[in-house]
Amino acid sequence: MRISVLGSGTGTNFVAIAQAVARGELRNVDIALVLSDIENAGILARAQEFGVPCAYIPVTNFKTKLEGPPEQAYIEALRAAGTDYVVLAGFMRMIKREMLAAFPQRIINIHPALLPAFPGIHSWEQALAYGVKITGCTVHFVDEGMDTGPIIAQAAVPVHDDDTPASLHARIQQEEHRLYPRVLQWLADGRVHIQGRRTFLVPPGP
Amino acid sequence: MRISVLGSGTGTNFVAIAQAVARGELRNVDIALVLSDIENAGILARAQEFGVPCAYIPVTNFKTKLEGPPEQAYIEALRAAGTDYVVLAGFMRMIKREMLAAFPQRIINIHPALLPAFPGIHSWEQALAYGVKITGCTVHFVDEGMDTGPIIAQAAVPVHDDDTPASLHARIQQEEHRLYPRVLQWLADGRVHIQGRRTFLVPPGP
C-alpha cells in the first residue's frame, strides 16, 4: 500500500508513521510522497530526514480549502506517486469534491477529539472550555463535511484538572501517534469495511 | 448528605446507589426519597424493596418537562424530605427554572453518552448510528439546557462491531452503576468545586 501524507504543520504524525515503517512495525506500507501547502512546514524537513520524496505545492486561491487549479496539482502529484491512500496529518484545508472523487474512500484524517464532539480547529481548547473529563482522537474517512466522515478508530484520553491546552494537546498527540499507524496497518491488510456511516474491522486474512 | 432520586424507568441506577449505601461503599449518604412521574415505574418497586420512602407524583400539564403546579409539588416533597442533592436517574422530563432555583447546583443527572456528543434520548442508538468507536456516560450538574450542565465525571465505553442497541446500552449501564455512586461520594465529601463550565475534584479533607 502506497500512502502519501499531506500536512501543514510540524509533522509529528508523519514522523510516527515513518518510524513505524522504519522499525518494521507497519508492514506492507510505503510512504510515497509528502505534500504541504506551507513552504517552510516542519513536515517537509521531517520528510527529507526520512528520505521521503516531498514537495511544497502552494494554494493561493483559497485560505481554508483545496479547490480549483491547486487541487488539480495535488491530485496529479498524488497520482504520479502511485498513491493508494491519502493520509491527512495536520493538513489545514478542507478536501473538496474533485479530490474526493479521485481517491474515493481512500482519504483519511486524524482529528484530536472524540468526534462528533469538537470538530474543527483547536479541539483540545474546545474540550477544556466545555469541561469534558474525557476527550481523545479519531481516525476517519474524509468526506465533504468538516470532520464528519465514517469513523475507523478512536482512542480516549483523560482530561486532568490541572491541564493546560498544551499539556492536553500533548497527551492527545501521544495517542494519535499510536492510533494512526495501527489504522494504516488495518487498511494495508484490507481489514476495514465501510457500511454507510459505520466501519467494521474484519479478521486478518490467512 | 441526604439525596432524593427521581426516575421514570426501571431504576437500575437507583439500585446501584442503594446497594452501594447498603454495602457501606457509599458513606455519609442517606437516600431520603424516591419520586416518579410514572405510576407503575420499576424504580418505585425497587425503592420499596430497599425500604426507601417513595411516591408517585403525576405530571399532567406537560409531556417532556416539569413545570408549574407539579413542579411545586416535587419541590415541596423534596424539601419536606430534607433533600440536599436531587439525583436524576432516568427521569424523562426537563428540569425547569423553579426547581433549579430551589436546589441551586444541587441537581445532578447521569447521561448514557460522552457529552457533548449525543444529548437527548436513546443516545446509545445515536452513537451506533453515527458509527463512533467509543461512547460512555456522563454525570453532570443540571442546568436549563438539554444535558448541557457542567460535567463532574465521565467514563468511556467501547463500541463493538457486533453491538446491538441493547448490548451497547447494557455495557454503558454497567459503567453508569460504577460512576454514579463514586460521584455521590465526592459530593458527600465536599470535593466537587465548580468554576464556570468546569468542575474540579479537590483532595479529600483530613
Side-chain angles (χ1 to χ4, degrees), chain B residues 21-114:
Chain B
V21 170
R23 290 171 184 153
E25 297 161 8
L26 181 45
R27 295 169 307 281
N28 303 318
V29 172
D30 289 321
I31 309 180
L33 181 64
V34 168
L35 295 177
S36 182
D37 60 331
I38 304 291
E39 189 163 14
N40 59 352
I43 192 171
L44 295 174
R46 298 295 86 69
Q48 290 174 325
E49 289 165 14
F50 279 89
V52 172
C54 64
Y56 158 58
I57 303 183
V59 185
T60 53
N61 55 342
F62 295 107
K63 286 205 169 176
T64 61
K65 60 181 177 178
L66 181 62
E67 199 169 21
E71 184 183 25
Q72 288 304 323
Y74 275 79
I75 293 171
E76 282 164 30
L78 292 167
R79 282 186 169 147
T83 304
D84 295 313
Y85 275 88
V86 179
V87 175
L88 306 184
F91 189 65
M92 299 302 281
R93 291 178 179 274
M94 295 279 286
I95 303 298
K96 305 303 285 186
R97 203 163 46 85
E98 294 289 323
M99 182 132 156
L100 291 168
F103 298 94
Q105 296 185 330
R106 296 277 171 154
I107 307 176
I108 64 173
N109 181 44
I110 192 159
H111 181 80
L114 288 178

Side-chain angles (χ1 to χ4, degrees), chain B residues 179-197:
Chain B
L179 192 65
Y180 224 175
R182 195 186 319 158
V183 168
L184 289 171
Q185 190 64 67
W186 294 345
L187 292 169
D189 295 343
R191 296 183 58 194
V192 179
H193 287 208
I194 310 179
Q195 282 181 20
R197 282 206 55 79

